[in-house]
Amino acid sequence: MEMNATVLADALTRLRRAHGQLGAVVNMIENGDECERVLIQLAAVSKALDRAGFKIISTGMRQCQAARERGEQPPLSEEQLEKLFLALS
């Protein structure tokens, strides 16, 4: 399945945000910040990554459904989509 930056703009936004948050977590650790603050920010990074992953999978599911409706072979099988979905959970 090809990745389309326009279609996945929301996922890209989430990934960029997570990238910045992760950099902040690294800086917090390097600067000896409090454990609780580091863990809160790390949880935010994790959640942003999860949401981006689910956005990508849901986009893939829509693309597969659209291909079926056009009578075309979908880019991914149901088994492939399920495997990708389970990899995130």
Side-chain angles (χ1 to χ4, degrees), residues 16-34 37-42 44-45:
R16 286 186 182 109
R17 186 176 305 129
H19 184 262
Q21 288 173 314
L22 185 57
V25 169
V26 170
N27 287 335
M28 291 170 77
I29 292 171
E30 289 175 344
N31 295 329
D33 213 325
E34 293 181 21
R37 289 188 54 186
V38 171
L39 291 175
I40 288 170
Q41 288 303 310
L42 193 56
V45 172

Short mmCIF file of all heavy atoms in Angstrom, two decimals, residues 16-34 37-42 44-45:
data_model
loop_
_atom_site.label_atom_id
_atom_site.label_comp_id
_atom_site.label_asym_id
_atom_site.label_seq_id
_atom_site.Cartn_x
_atom_site.Cartn_y
_atom_site.Cartn_z
N ARG A 16 4.99 14.23 13.92
CA ARG A 16 5.87 15.38 14.16
C ARG A 16 5.78 15.84 15.62
O ARG A 16 6.79 16.18 16.24
CB ARG A 16 5.50 16.52 13.21
CG ARG A 16 5.96 16.27 11.79
CD ARG A 16 5.71 17.47 10.90
NE ARG A 16 6.13 17.16 9.54
CZ ARG A 16 5.29 16.97 8.53
NH1 ARG A 16 3.99 17.10 8.71
NH2 ARG A 16 5.75 16.68 7.33
N ARG A 17 4.56 15.84 16.15
CA ARG A 17 4.37 16.22 17.55
C ARG A 17 5.10 15.22 18.46
O ARG A 17 5.79 15.62 19.40
CB ARG A 17 2.88 16.26 17.89
CG ARG A 17 2.61 16.79 19.29
CD ARG A 17 1.12 16.90 19.57
NE ARG A 17 0.43 17.72 18.59
CZ ARG A 17 -0.67 17.34 17.94
NH1 ARG A 17 -1.22 16.18 18.18
NH2 ARG A 17 -1.23 18.15 17.07
N ALA A 18 4.96 13.95 18.17
CA ALA A 18 5.63 12.93 18.98
C ALA A 18 7.14 13.07 18.88
O ALA A 18 7.85 12.89 19.87
CB ALA A 18 5.19 11.53 18.52
N HIS A 19 7.62 13.41 17.71
CA HIS A 19 9.06 13.62 17.51
C HIS A 19 9.57 14.72 18.43
O HIS A 19 10.59 14.57 19.10
CB HIS A 19 9.32 13.95 16.04
CG HIS A 19 10.76 14.09 15.69
ND1 HIS A 19 11.38 15.30 15.60
CD2 HIS A 19 11.69 13.16 15.39
CE1 HIS A 19 12.64 15.13 15.27
NE2 HIS A 19 12.87 13.83 15.14
N GLY A 20 8.84 15.82 18.47
CA GLY A 20 9.22 16.93 19.35
C GLY A 20 9.12 16.54 20.81
O GLY A 20 10.00 16.90 21.62
N GLN A 21 8.07 15.83 21.16
CA GLN A 21 7.90 15.40 22.56
C GLN A 21 9.02 14.45 22.97
O GLN A 21 9.52 14.53 24.09
CB GLN A 21 6.55 14.71 22.74
CG GLN A 21 5.37 15.65 22.70
CD GLN A 21 4.06 14.88 22.73
OE1 GLN A 21 3.88 13.89 22.02
NE2 GLN A 21 3.14 15.35 23.56
N LEU A 22 9.41 13.57 22.08
CA LEU A 22 10.48 12.62 22.41
C LEU A 22 11.79 13.36 22.63
O LEU A 22 12.55 13.04 23.55
CB LEU A 22 10.61 11.57 21.32
CG LEU A 22 11.62 10.46 21.59
CD1 LEU A 22 11.30 9.74 22.90
CD2 LEU A 22 11.64 9.48 20.44
N GLY A 23 12.06 14.36 21.81
CA GLY A 23 13.25 15.18 22.01
C GLY A 23 13.23 15.85 23.38
O GLY A 23 14.26 15.93 24.07
N ALA A 24 12.04 16.31 23.77
CA ALA A 24 11.90 16.94 25.08
C ALA A 24 12.15 15.94 26.20
O ALA A 24 12.78 16.27 27.21
CB ALA A 24 10.51 17.56 25.23
N VAL A 25 11.68 14.71 26.02
CA VAL A 25 11.90 13.66 27.03
C VAL A 25 13.39 13.39 27.17
O VAL A 25 13.91 13.28 28.29
CB VAL A 25 11.13 12.36 26.69
CG1 VAL A 25 11.56 11.21 27.57
CG2 VAL A 25 9.63 12.59 26.80
N VAL A 26 14.09 13.28 26.06
CA VAL A 26 15.54 13.05 26.10
C VAL A 26 16.23 14.18 26.86
O VAL A 26 17.08 13.95 27.73
CB VAL A 26 16.11 12.89 24.67
CG1 VAL A 26 17.63 12.90 24.69
CG2 VAL A 26 15.59 11.61 24.03
N ASN A 27 15.84 15.42 26.54
CA ASN A 27 16.43 16.57 27.24
C ASN A 27 16.12 16.54 28.73
O ASN A 27 16.98 16.87 29.56
CB ASN A 27 15.94 17.89 26.63
CG ASN A 27 16.54 18.17 25.29
OD1 ASN A 27 17.62 17.68 24.96
ND2 ASN A 27 15.84 18.94 24.48
N MET A 28 14.90 16.17 29.07
CA MET A 28 14.51 16.10 30.48
C MET A 28 15.38 15.10 31.23
O MET A 28 15.84 15.37 32.35
CB MET A 28 13.02 15.71 30.61
CG MET A 28 12.06 16.79 30.14
SD MET A 28 10.36 16.21 30.04
CE MET A 28 9.92 16.24 31.78
N ILE A 29 15.62 13.96 30.62
CA ILE A 29 16.46 12.94 31.26
C ILE A 29 17.89 13.44 31.38
O ILE A 29 18.53 13.29 32.43
CB ILE A 29 16.38 11.61 30.49
CG1 ILE A 29 14.97 11.00 30.63
CG2 ILE A 29 17.44 10.62 30.99
CD1 ILE A 29 14.72 9.81 29.74
N GLU A 30 18.41 14.03 30.30
CA GLU A 30 19.78 14.55 30.33
C GLU A 30 19.95 15.64 31.38
O GLU A 30 21.03 15.77 31.96
CB GLU A 30 20.15 15.09 28.95
CG GLU A 30 20.34 14.01 27.91
CD GLU A 30 20.59 14.55 26.51
OE1 GLU A 30 20.33 15.74 26.25
OE2 GLU A 30 21.05 13.76 25.67
N ASN A 31 18.89 16.40 31.64
CA ASN A 31 18.95 17.49 32.61
C ASN A 31 18.55 17.05 34.02
O ASN A 31 18.48 17.88 34.93
CB ASN A 31 18.06 18.66 32.17
CG ASN A 31 18.56 19.29 30.89
OD1 ASN A 31 19.75 19.31 30.63
ND2 ASN A 31 17.64 19.80 30.09
N GLY A 32 18.28 15.77 34.19
CA GLY A 32 17.96 15.24 35.52
C GLY A 32 16.60 15.68 36.03
O GLY A 32 16.42 15.86 37.24
N ASP A 33 15.64 15.83 35.13
CA ASP A 33 14.29 16.25 35.54
C ASP A 33 13.65 15.17 36.40
O ASP A 33 14.14 14.04 36.49
CB ASP A 33 13.45 16.51 34.30
CG ASP A 33 12.43 17.61 34.49
OD1 ASP A 33 11.90 17.74 35.60
OD2 ASP A 33 12.18 18.34 33.52
N GLU A 34 12.55 15.52 37.02
CA GLU A 34 11.84 14.58 37.91
C GLU A 34 11.25 13.42 37.13
O GLU A 34 10.72 13.58 36.03
CB GLU A 34 10.72 15.31 38.65
CG GLU A 34 11.20 16.35 39.63
CD GLU A 34 10.06 17.03 40.36
OE1 GLU A 34 8.96 16.46 40.40
OE2 GLU A 34 10.29 18.12 40.87
N ARG A 37 7.56 13.71 35.87
CA ARG A 37 7.38 14.57 34.68
C ARG A 37 7.86 13.86 33.42
O ARG A 37 7.23 13.96 32.37
CB ARG A 37 8.15 15.87 34.88
CG ARG A 37 7.52 16.79 35.91
CD ARG A 37 8.18 18.12 35.94
NE ARG A 37 8.17 18.66 34.57
CZ ARG A 37 8.79 19.77 34.21
NH1 ARG A 37 9.45 20.46 35.09
NH2 ARG A 37 8.74 20.20 32.97
N VAL A 38 8.98 13.15 33.53
CA VAL A 38 9.51 12.41 32.38
C VAL A 38 8.51 11.35 31.93
O VAL A 38 8.21 11.21 30.74
CB VAL A 38 10.87 11.77 32.72
CG1 VAL A 38 11.32 10.81 31.61
CG2 VAL A 38 11.93 12.84 32.97
N LEU A 39 7.96 10.61 32.89
CA LEU A 39 7.03 9.54 32.54
C LEU A 39 5.74 10.07 31.96
O LEU A 39 5.17 9.45 31.04
CB LEU A 39 6.76 8.66 33.76
CG LEU A 39 7.95 7.81 34.20
CD1 LEU A 39 7.63 7.07 35.48
CD2 LEU A 39 8.37 6.85 33.11
N ILE A 40 5.27 11.20 32.43
CA ILE A 40 4.05 11.81 31.87
C ILE A 40 4.29 12.17 30.40
O ILE A 40 3.46 11.90 29.54
CB ILE A 40 3.61 13.03 32.70
CG1 ILE A 40 3.05 12.56 34.04
CG2 ILE A 40 2.59 13.88 31.94
CD1 ILE A 40 2.81 13.68 35.05
N GLN A 41 5.44 12.77 30.12
CA GLN A 41 5.75 13.15 28.74
C GLN A 41 5.98 11.91 27.86
O GLN A 41 5.59 11.89 26.69
CB GLN A 41 6.98 14.07 28.70
CG GLN A 41 6.70 15.45 29.21
CD GLN A 41 5.56 16.11 28.46
OE1 GLN A 41 5.53 16.15 27.23
NE2 GLN A 41 4.60 16.63 29.20
N LEU A 42 6.60 10.90 28.43
CA LEU A 42 6.82 9.67 27.68
C LEU A 42 5.49 9.00 27.34
O LEU A 42 5.31 8.47 26.23
CB LEU A 42 7.72 8.73 28.47
CG LEU A 42 8.30 7.54 27.72
CD1 LEU A 42 9.08 7.99 26.50
CD2 LEU A 42 9.20 6.74 28.64
N ALA A 44 2.72 10.58 26.83
CA ALA A 44 2.14 11.39 25.76
C ALA A 44 2.75 11.03 24.40
O ALA A 44 2.03 10.95 23.40
CB ALA A 44 2.36 12.88 26.05
N VAL A 45 4.05 10.78 24.37
CA VAL A 45 4.71 10.35 23.14
C VAL A 45 4.12 9.02 22.67
O VAL A 45 3.79 8.84 21.50
CB VAL A 45 6.24 10.22 23.33
CG1 VAL A 45 6.89 9.59 22.11
CG2 VAL A 45 6.86 11.56 23.64
#
